[in-house]
Amino acid sequence: MAVQNRFTYRAGELYCEDVPAERIAAEHGTPCYVYSRASLLERYADIRDAFGQWGALVCFSVKCCGNLSVLKLLAEAGSGFDVVSGGEICRALRAGADPQKIVFAGVGKTGEEIEYALREGILMLNVESRPELEAINVVATRLGARAAVAIRLNPDVDARTHAKTTTGKGGTKFGIGIRTAERLALDARSWDGVEVRGIHLHLGSPIYSAEPYESALTKALELVERLREAGCPVDTLNLGGGYCISYTGEEVTTPQQYAAALRTSLEKSACPVIIIEPGRYIAGNGAVLLTRMIYRKESEFGKRFLICDAAMNDLIRPTLYEAFHRVWPVRSAEGMPQVVRPDQSSFEGLVTERVDVVGPVCETGDYLARNRPLPRVEAGELLAVFDVGAYGFAMGSNYNARPRAAEVLVDGAECRLIRRRETCGDMIGPEEEWLI
Ligand SMILES: Cc1ncc(COP(=O)(O)O)c(C=O)c1O
């Protein structure tokens, strides 16, 4: 299945698949996350097929977009799930996930979460420290179970991501160094409640080249070989997530290119079970955030602000990671330029003005875009923030007592609400009953 852009301008108006964005905003209000069903499914199939020669199990990373309907769509397409909490296990199961396709990562699994995971019969727990493996062993032994675990390695490889999203370098809290991991796996051979079946890697996100994966995999395979020789039944290699997407409209490394770069190592590994945990690749380009401009503010200090009804509580990536998202008016005679880069100062043949796109939250860090060339937009008009399907709504909050946005799913010419906009009651409900 070819991967297509499902957000396009037709006759000067933004569409998601066959539905005009204006219509969605009129029906569901703003701010509103708009997902394309076709985009989600195409991306899932694309990365599954790229690693298909090894029969890889795709475990969609729930943390990037946990909406139940999105998870259900992917579960029905055959996807497994990468989870990092009991709450994410609950979401995945509620969406119809096969427990035998769920892998559980994270550095701080509680005893309760471990028990929940084991009782639900998930495929594998990815272990990040000796005390955690000991805790799993205690819980599993009590339940009369033997937990299949993978050891998450910290291979000390720099994936050249933002410092806050790099996880495979020594010094971060993630994974276990190779020598320590080897000692742990050897010791665990005699523990009744656990069986070390796999090696897990996740280096950071997004990773724009295959090279960090290759370096980490080379180190991991040396360990796999030594563990097998020592009698550990390691049959699973989990390569994690981090596969990049384009935020500018330019070409980036494709799943096929990652898979080609890893082919030799994967074939040498002779591991019958390969797992990948893409989140961003599947969901990132699959949604836009629609927001309505409330005011134009021109300051005497030479700044021009487009004050919109979406804010950092709806999309925190720009201020948290200095992440770049294209922003463009929903009505635009010429459509959006093919490529919009962070350093773009103008577009040939387009009249633009320099603006900051900001929200109503009381923080200077509340912005969606800064110093951007945009065609003139008036109060009341709609803007779209692109490529927000991953770590968009999922990282949203109620900061400033702002209800979280609505989420809708478009399928061809149809559009369905998949999460209603929160109300004031949703926000104060858990406190009302306990009011002193
Ligand atoms: C263990 C693990 N796997 C997979 C992912 C998904 O990463 P991405 O969305 O970049 O594919 C993450 C993201 O943080 C992660 O921590």
Side-chain angles (χ1 to χ4, degrees):
M1 200 190 287
V3 169
Q4 292 182 34
N5 178 9
R6 298 293 179 172
F7 298 88
T8 51
Y9 281 85
R10 298 183 195 168
E13 200 181 335
L14 179 66
Y15 277 68
C16 173
E17 300 195 21
D18 296 325
V19 182
E22 286 272 6
R23 200 179 96 200
I24 299 172
E27 279 173 22
H28 298 286
T30 52
C32 181
Y33 274 87
V34 181
Y35 298 87
S36 156
R37 180 179 184 274
S39 179
L40 293 164
L41 290 177
E42 283 167 8
R43 291 303 190 98
Y44 165 72
D46 188 49
I47 197 159
R48 178 200 61 200
D49 294 350
F51 286 84
Q53 56 204 301
W54 304 290
L57 172 64
V58 178
C59 288
F60 175 67
S61 197
V62 172
K63 71 174 75 65
C64 87
C65 176
N67 181 284
L68 285 184
S69 296
V70 170
L71 301 185
K72 180 167 182 244
L73 199 66
L74 293 170
E76 285 170 358
S79 184
F81 296 96
D82 152 52
V83 299
V84 286
S85 67
E88 287 192 351
I89 297 177
C90 172
R91 274 190 175 273
L93 293 174
R94 180 70 185 80
D98 175 353
Q100 274 298 296
K101 291 184 179 174
I102 294 179
V103 289
F104 187 5
V107 296
K109 302 175 195 75
T110 65
E112 238 178 0
E113 289 176 314
I114 293 166
E115 179 162 348
Y116 178 39
L118 294 178
R119 284 193 188 280
E120 293 296 339
I122 72 162
L123 177 64
M124 203 164 271
L125 289 96
N126 298 329
V127 171
E128 307 229 15
S129 65
R130 177 177 283 262
E132 188 195 4
L133 189 59
E134 287 167 354
I136 296 170
N137 185 46
V138 168
V139 176
T141 306
R142 176 163 52 77
L143 297 178
R146 190 132 206 249
V149 301
I151 294 189
R152 177 170 176 174
L153 291 188
N154 183 325
D156 196 19
V157 165
D158 185 359
R160 295 185 288 280
T161 68
H162 187 280
K164 287 183 185 161
T165 58
T166 203
T167 59
K169 269 180 81 171
T172 69
K173 69 177 177 180
F174 296 99
I176 305 177
I178 290 177
R179 268 178 294 131
T180 315
E182 183 166 4
R183 188 68 263 149
L184 182 59
L186 296 179
D187 290 351
R189 283 175 303 184
S190 60
W191 302 2
D192 291 335
V194 293
E195 185 165 52
V196 176
R197 294 278 298 279
I199 293 297
H200 177 225
L201 295 164
H202 175 72
L203 306 175
S205 172
I207 303 172
Y208 283 94
S209 86
E211 190 266 323
Y213 290 92
E214 284 179 88
S215 313
L217 190 54
T218 305
K219 293 185 179 184
L221 289 183
E222 288 166 10
L223 175 63
V224 168
E225 211 169 299
R226 290 199 298 275
L227 290 180
R228 286 224 189 99
E229 278 166 16
C232 292
V234 176
D235 62 2
T236 301
L237 212 46
N238 183 337
L239 304 175
Y243 314 96
C244 67
I245 60 169
S246 177
Y247 283 101
T248 61
E250 294 163 294
E251 289 197 356
V252 294
T253 305
T254 64
Q256 292 72 20
Q257 288 168 332
Y258 290 113
L262 298 179
R263 178 169 298 130
T264 312
S265 300
L266 285 178
E267 276 159 18
K268 203 172 75 190
S269 85
C271 270
V273 185
I274 305 293
I275 298 175
I276 55 172
E277 302 173 333
R280 189 187 310 270
Y281 182 76
I282 292 174
N285 294 135
V288 298
L289 172 61
L290 297 181
T291 178
R292 206 174 282 284
M293 184 174 142
I294 310 170
Y295 302 114
R296 255 182 107 74
K297 176 170 172 175
E298 317 241 355
S299 83
E300 70 184 62
F301 308 105
K303 291 286 292 185
R304 188 175 289 122
F305 299 98
L306 308 187
I307 302 175
C308 295
D309 63 4
M312 64 186 283
N313 74 296
D314 300 299
L315 182 68
I316 202 169
R317 288 176 31 76
T319 194
L320 184 62
Y321 303 134
E322 292 298 334
F324 174 83
H325 288 271
R326 289 173 289 178
V327 178
W328 206 253
V330 160
R331 278 193 190 279
S332 168
E334 297 82 2
M336 183 169 66
Q338 182 74 27
V339 171
V340 182
R341 290 198 197 89
D343 58 358
Q344 199 96 38
S345 56
S346 60
F347 300 98
E348 217 184 303
L350 265 188
V351 179
T352 56
E353 57 180 6
R354 285 293 187 126
V355 297
D356 282 14
V357 181
V358 303
V361 161
C362 297
E363 298 271 350
T364 304
D366 177 27
Y367 54 83
L368 301 174
R370 284 200 295 186
N371 208 18
R372 290 283 178 88
L374 274 194
R376 189 179 166 99
V377 186
E378 301 300 338
E381 291 184 345
L382 288 171
L383 291 165
V385 187
F386 287 80
D387 311 311
V388 296
Y391 310 101
F393 183 92
M395 293 181 88
S397 76
N398 290 127
Y399 185 45
N400 275 201
R402 288 171 50 83
R404 272 178 293 187
E407 292 181 290
V408 304
L409 180 71
V410 170
D411 178 12
E414 290 187 3
C415 174
R416 283 183 58 172
L417 189 63
I418 55 173
R419 192 182 206 274
R420 67 164 169 78
R421 182 177 310 288
E422 288 181 348
T423 62
C424 186
D426 291 329
M427 290 188 288
I428 64 175
E431 297 155 53
E432 262 188 322
E433 177 183 348
W434 310 101
L435 189 61
I436 51 170

Short mmCIF file of all heavy atoms in Angstrom, two decimals, residues 157-192:
data_model
loop_
_atom_site.label_atom_id
_atom_site.label_comp_id
_atom_site.label_asym_id
_atom_site.label_seq_id
_atom_site.Cartn_x
_atom_site.Cartn_y
_atom_site.Cartn_z
N VAL A 157 24.86 4.51 22.76
CA VAL A 157 24.90 4.98 21.36
C VAL A 157 24.14 6.30 21.29
O VAL A 157 23.05 6.42 21.84
CB VAL A 157 24.24 3.93 20.43
CG1 VAL A 157 23.93 4.54 19.07
CG2 VAL A 157 25.13 2.71 20.29
N ASP A 158 24.74 7.27 20.62
CA ASP A 158 24.11 8.58 20.49
C ASP A 158 23.23 8.61 19.25
O ASP A 158 23.72 8.53 18.13
CB ASP A 158 25.20 9.66 20.39
CG ASP A 158 24.61 11.06 20.39
OD1 ASP A 158 23.36 11.19 20.44
OD2 ASP A 158 25.40 12.02 20.35
N ALA A 159 21.91 8.69 19.47
CA ALA A 159 20.99 8.69 18.33
C ALA A 159 20.77 10.10 17.78
O ALA A 159 19.98 10.30 16.86
CB ALA A 159 19.66 8.08 18.74
N ARG A 160 21.49 11.08 18.34
CA ARG A 160 21.43 12.48 17.87
C ARG A 160 20.00 13.01 17.82
O ARG A 160 19.55 13.59 16.84
CB ARG A 160 22.14 12.63 16.52
CG ARG A 160 23.63 12.36 16.63
CD ARG A 160 24.36 12.62 15.35
NE ARG A 160 24.09 11.62 14.33
CZ ARG A 160 24.66 10.44 14.28
NH1 ARG A 160 25.55 10.08 15.20
NH2 ARG A 160 24.35 9.59 13.32
N THR A 161 19.27 12.79 18.88
CA THR A 161 17.93 13.35 19.01
C THR A 161 18.03 14.54 19.98
O THR A 161 19.10 14.84 20.50
CB THR A 161 16.95 12.33 19.62
OG1 THR A 161 17.33 12.10 20.98
CG2 THR A 161 16.97 11.02 18.88
N HIS A 162 16.91 15.19 20.25
CA HIS A 162 16.86 16.22 21.29
C HIS A 162 17.31 15.58 22.61
O HIS A 162 17.00 14.41 22.88
CB HIS A 162 15.43 16.74 21.40
CG HIS A 162 15.29 17.91 22.32
ND1 HIS A 162 15.23 17.79 23.68
CD2 HIS A 162 15.21 19.24 22.05
CE1 HIS A 162 15.12 19.00 24.23
NE2 HIS A 162 15.10 19.89 23.26
N ALA A 163 18.03 16.34 23.42
CA ALA A 163 18.58 15.78 24.67
C ALA A 163 17.48 15.14 25.54
O ALA A 163 17.72 14.15 26.23
CB ALA A 163 19.28 16.88 25.46
N LYS A 164 16.28 15.71 25.49
CA LYS A 164 15.21 15.18 26.34
C LYS A 164 14.58 13.91 25.79
O LYS A 164 13.74 13.31 26.45
CB LYS A 164 14.12 16.25 26.54
CG LYS A 164 14.53 17.37 27.46
CD LYS A 164 13.42 18.36 27.68
CE LYS A 164 13.92 19.53 28.50
NZ LYS A 164 13.06 20.70 28.38
N THR A 165 14.93 13.53 24.58
CA THR A 165 14.32 12.30 24.03
C THR A 165 15.39 11.30 23.61
O THR A 165 15.11 10.38 22.85
CB THR A 165 13.42 12.61 22.81
OG1 THR A 165 14.21 13.27 21.81
CG2 THR A 165 12.24 13.48 23.20
N THR A 166 16.60 11.48 24.11
CA THR A 166 17.64 10.49 23.81
C THR A 166 17.68 9.49 24.96
O THR A 166 17.64 9.88 26.13
CB THR A 166 19.00 11.17 23.53
OG1 THR A 166 19.79 10.30 22.75
CG2 THR A 166 19.76 11.54 24.79
N THR A 167 17.65 8.22 24.65
CA THR A 167 17.52 7.21 25.71
C THR A 167 18.60 6.13 25.65
O THR A 167 18.70 5.32 26.57
CB THR A 167 16.15 6.51 25.62
OG1 THR A 167 16.03 5.89 24.33
CG2 THR A 167 15.00 7.46 25.81
N GLY A 168 19.38 6.10 24.58
CA GLY A 168 20.34 5.00 24.41
C GLY A 168 21.76 5.37 24.77
O GLY A 168 22.70 4.64 24.48
N LYS A 169 21.93 6.55 25.41
CA LYS A 169 23.29 6.97 25.78
C LYS A 169 23.54 6.64 27.24
O LYS A 169 22.63 6.77 28.07
CB LYS A 169 23.43 8.48 25.61
CG LYS A 169 23.95 8.86 24.23
CD LYS A 169 24.08 10.35 24.10
CE LYS A 169 25.37 10.85 24.73
NZ LYS A 169 25.60 12.27 24.41
N GLY A 170 24.76 6.25 27.56
CA GLY A 170 25.12 6.04 28.95
C GLY A 170 24.81 7.33 29.71
O GLY A 170 24.94 8.41 29.16
N GLY A 171 24.36 7.21 30.95
CA GLY A 171 24.05 8.43 31.70
C GLY A 171 22.57 8.76 31.71
O GLY A 171 22.13 9.54 32.53
N THR A 172 21.80 8.19 30.78
CA THR A 172 20.34 8.36 30.87
C THR A 172 19.81 7.27 31.81
O THR A 172 20.51 6.30 32.10
CB THR A 172 19.65 8.22 29.50
OG1 THR A 172 19.72 6.86 29.08
CG2 THR A 172 20.30 9.11 28.45
N LYS A 173 18.56 7.44 32.22
CA LYS A 173 18.02 6.48 33.20
C LYS A 173 17.60 5.16 32.56
O LYS A 173 17.18 4.24 33.25
CB LYS A 173 16.81 7.09 33.92
CG LYS A 173 15.58 7.28 33.04
CD LYS A 173 14.40 7.82 33.84
CE LYS A 173 13.21 8.06 32.93
NZ LYS A 173 12.05 8.58 33.65
N PHE A 174 17.71 5.06 31.23
CA PHE A 174 17.13 3.91 30.53
C PHE A 174 18.12 2.77 30.31
O PHE A 174 19.30 2.99 30.08
CB PHE A 174 16.57 4.35 29.17
CG PHE A 174 15.43 5.32 29.33
CD1 PHE A 174 15.64 6.68 29.18
CD2 PHE A 174 14.16 4.87 29.65
CE1 PHE A 174 14.60 7.58 29.34
CE2 PHE A 174 13.11 5.77 29.82
CZ PHE A 174 13.33 7.13 29.67
N GLY A 175 17.59 1.56 30.35
CA GLY A 175 18.35 0.38 29.95
C GLY A 175 19.48 0.03 30.91
O GLY A 175 19.73 0.70 31.91
N ILE A 176 20.15 -1.07 30.56
CA ILE A 176 21.22 -1.61 31.40
C ILE A 176 22.46 -1.75 30.53
O ILE A 176 22.38 -2.26 29.40
CB ILE A 176 20.80 -2.99 31.96
CG1 ILE A 176 19.46 -2.88 32.71
CG2 ILE A 176 21.88 -3.57 32.86
CD1 ILE A 176 18.92 -4.21 33.24
N GLY A 177 23.58 -1.30 31.03
CA GLY A 177 24.84 -1.42 30.28
C GLY A 177 25.12 -2.88 29.95
O GLY A 177 24.67 -3.78 30.67
N ILE A 178 25.89 -3.09 28.88
CA ILE A 178 26.01 -4.45 28.35
C ILE A 178 26.63 -5.45 29.34
O ILE A 178 26.14 -6.57 29.50
CB ILE A 178 26.77 -4.42 27.01
CG1 ILE A 178 25.86 -3.74 25.98
CG2 ILE A 178 27.16 -5.83 26.54
CD1 ILE A 178 26.43 -3.55 24.62
N ARG A 179 27.68 -5.00 30.05
CA ARG A 179 28.32 -5.95 30.99
C ARG A 179 27.38 -6.32 32.13
O ARG A 179 27.26 -7.47 32.52
CB ARG A 179 29.62 -5.35 31.55
CG ARG A 179 30.83 -5.74 30.69
CD ARG A 179 32.11 -5.11 31.19
NE ARG A 179 32.05 -3.66 31.03
CZ ARG A 179 32.34 -2.77 31.97
NH1 ARG A 179 32.72 -3.17 33.15
NH2 ARG A 179 32.26 -1.48 31.74
N THR A 180 26.67 -5.30 32.63
CA THR A 180 25.73 -5.55 33.73
C THR A 180 24.57 -6.43 33.26
O THR A 180 24.10 -7.32 33.98
CB THR A 180 25.17 -4.21 34.26
OG1 THR A 180 26.26 -3.31 34.40
CG2 THR A 180 24.46 -4.37 35.58
N ALA A 181 24.12 -6.18 32.03
CA ALA A 181 23.01 -6.96 31.48
C ALA A 181 23.41 -8.44 31.36
O ALA A 181 22.62 -9.34 31.67
CB ALA A 181 22.62 -6.41 30.10
N GLU A 182 24.64 -8.66 30.94
CA GLU A 182 25.11 -10.04 30.76
C GLU A 182 25.13 -10.76 32.11
O GLU A 182 24.62 -11.88 32.24
CB GLU A 182 26.52 -10.02 30.14
CG GLU A 182 27.05 -11.41 29.85
CD GLU A 182 28.27 -11.37 28.95
OE1 GLU A 182 28.75 -10.28 28.62
OE2 GLU A 182 28.74 -12.48 28.58
N ARG A 183 25.67 -10.06 33.13
CA ARG A 183 25.74 -10.66 34.47
C ARG A 183 24.32 -11.00 34.97
O ARG A 183 24.05 -12.07 35.49
CB ARG A 183 26.41 -9.61 35.40
CG ARG A 183 26.78 -10.00 36.78
CD ARG A 183 27.90 -11.01 36.87
NE ARG A 183 27.35 -12.36 37.03
CZ ARG A 183 27.92 -13.47 36.59
NH1 ARG A 183 29.08 -13.44 35.95
NH2 ARG A 183 27.37 -14.63 36.79
N LEU A 184 23.42 -10.06 34.74
CA LEU A 184 22.04 -10.22 35.23
C LEU A 184 21.37 -11.41 34.54
O LEU A 184 20.73 -12.25 35.19
CB LEU A 184 21.26 -8.93 34.95
CG LEU A 184 19.81 -8.88 35.41
CD1 LEU A 184 19.71 -9.10 36.92
CD2 LEU A 184 19.17 -7.54 35.05
N ALA A 185 21.53 -11.49 33.22
CA ALA A 185 20.89 -12.59 32.47
C ALA A 185 21.45 -13.94 32.94
O ALA A 185 20.71 -14.92 33.08
CB ALA A 185 21.09 -12.40 30.98
N LEU A 186 22.76 -13.97 33.19
CA LEU A 186 23.37 -15.24 33.64
C LEU A 186 22.85 -15.61 35.03
O LEU A 186 22.48 -16.76 35.28
CB LEU A 186 24.89 -15.12 33.64
CG LEU A 186 25.54 -14.89 32.25
CD1 LEU A 186 27.06 -14.76 32.37
CD2 LEU A 186 25.18 -16.03 31.28
N ASP A 187 22.78 -14.64 35.91
CA ASP A 187 22.28 -14.92 37.27
C ASP A 187 20.83 -15.42 37.22
O ASP A 187 20.44 -16.31 37.96
CB ASP A 187 22.33 -13.66 38.14
CG ASP A 187 23.75 -13.27 38.49
OD1 ASP A 187 24.67 -14.07 38.18
OD2 ASP A 187 23.96 -12.16 39.04
N ALA A 188 20.02 -14.80 36.34
CA ALA A 188 18.58 -15.09 36.31
C ALA A 188 18.28 -16.49 35.78
O ALA A 188 17.13 -16.94 35.88
CB ALA A 188 17.85 -14.03 35.48
N ARG A 189 19.29 -17.15 35.23
CA ARG A 189 19.04 -18.51 34.73
C ARG A 189 18.47 -19.41 35.83
O ARG A 189 17.71 -20.33 35.57
CB ARG A 189 20.34 -19.13 34.18
CG ARG A 189 20.73 -18.61 32.82
CD ARG A 189 22.07 -19.16 32.39
NE ARG A 189 23.12 -18.84 33.38
CZ ARG A 189 24.39 -19.12 33.24
NH1 ARG A 189 24.81 -19.75 32.16
NH2 ARG A 189 25.26 -18.79 34.16
N SER A 190 18.87 -19.13 37.08
CA SER A 190 18.43 -20.02 38.17
C SER A 190 17.19 -19.48 38.91
O SER A 190 16.81 -20.03 39.93
CB SER A 190 19.58 -20.19 39.17
OG SER A 190 19.92 -18.91 39.68
N TRP A 191 16.60 -18.38 38.42
CA TRP A 191 15.42 -17.83 39.11
C TRP A 191 14.16 -18.48 38.54
O TRP A 191 14.00 -18.58 37.31
CB TRP A 191 15.35 -16.32 38.93
CG TRP A 191 16.55 -15.54 39.41
CD1 TRP A 191 17.70 -16.05 39.96
CD2 TRP A 191 16.72 -14.12 39.36
NE1 TRP A 191 18.59 -15.05 40.26
CE2 TRP A 191 18.01 -13.84 39.90
CE3 TRP A 191 15.95 -13.06 38.94
CZ2 TRP A 191 18.51 -12.56 40.02
CZ3 TRP A 191 16.44 -11.77 39.05
CH2 TRP A 191 17.72 -11.52 39.59
N ASP A 192 13.25 -18.85 39.44
CA ASP A 192 12.07 -19.60 38.98
C ASP A 192 11.04 -18.76 38.23
O ASP A 192 10.33 -19.26 37.36
CB ASP A 192 11.34 -20.25 40.18
CG ASP A 192 12.18 -21.36 40.77
OD1 ASP A 192 13.01 -21.92 40.02
OD2 ASP A 192 12.03 -21.66 41.97
#
